[in-house]
Amino acid sequence: MTNKVLVAIDDTGLSDLVVEAMSTQMRPDQTEILVLEIVEPLVYSVPPEMSPGWTPEQVARRKEARDHAKDTIAHAVEVFRQAGYTADSRVVESEIKEGILTVASEWGANLIVVTSHARKGIAKFLHSSVAEGIVHKARCSVLVLKEQPVPVAA
């Protein structure tokens, strides 16, 4: 049986944590990986050109965001492939939680892997937890990898 693992990454630098964890926990010959990065829309409207405040410069900004996302996931895909995994990638423009859940459902993922920034207090309140939302709404298992604190030199 092939495990279908959706690995959602971003450009925070935590994607290396995901690649490292997956490389040690899953067998390459039994795992198919889809590396996903969600690019949040600049304007939430369909089509965006019809929304108030839209400007032609946003087309260039959207393209820049998508290109940056493609560059981010290309590294992760290459690392997985070098470790022997079957890996593919996808960039989707969507709200983050909904985008991850939609792609996982459409692709038939058995596992979703996300990272947590371990925010607390007011920061967690202001930046709702993507990982928490995915855990509660996902139809499959979810692995949340926590950011490791950096030791402070004494």
Side-chain angles (χ1 to χ4, degrees):
M1 180 179 127
T2 300
N3 295 309
K4 293 182 82 171
V5 181
L6 184 139
V7 177
I9 64 171
D10 55 24
D11 64 353
T12 61
L14 295 179
S15 58
D16 289 338
L17 173 69
V18 174
V19 173
E20 183 180 312
M22 291 302 302
S23 295
T24 61
Q25 295 181 23
M26 298 286 226
R27 291 183 49 183
D29 61 334
Q30 296 178 352
T31 307
E32 181 181 348
I33 295 174
L34 176 62
V35 180
L36 173 69
E37 181 158 355
I38 302 293
V39 176
E40 287 196 280
L42 299 173
V43 177
Y44 289 90
S45 175
V46 178
E49 293 81 4
M50 299 297 291
S51 66
W54 183 86
T55 61
E57 295 80 25
Q58 290 180 349
V59 172
R61 288 180 52 209
R62 284 173 64 195
K63 182 182 181 323
E64 185 178 302
R66 289 183 71 82
D67 290 347
H68 180 72
K70 287 177 184 176
D71 291 343
T72 301
I73 63 176
H75 170 72
V77 168
E78 185 58 32
V79 170
F80 280 125
R81 287 180 179 161
Q82 286 177 358
Y85 291 93
T86 300
D88 200 1
S89 65
R90 193 178 302 174
V91 175
V92 173
E93 186 171 334
S94 171
E95 187 275 327
I96 296 173
K97 286 179 227 173
E98 291 305 316
I100 292 170
L101 292 168
T102 298
V103 171
S105 178
E106 290 172 355
W107 187 62
N110 305 99
L111 176 67
I112 300 171
V113 180
V114 294
T115 57
S116 172
H117 300 283
R119 292 184 179 108
K120 293 185 168 103
I122 192 74
K124 184 174 182 178
F125 175 75
L126 294 173
H127 303 279
S128 64
S129 173
V130 170
E132 187 175 325
I134 291 169
V135 166
H136 289 292
K137 292 185 177 181
R139 294 182 179 165
C140 63
S141 297
V142 179
L143 173 61
V144 180
L145 299 172
K146 290 187 176 184
E147 180 178 15
Q148 298 300 313
V150 178
V152 178

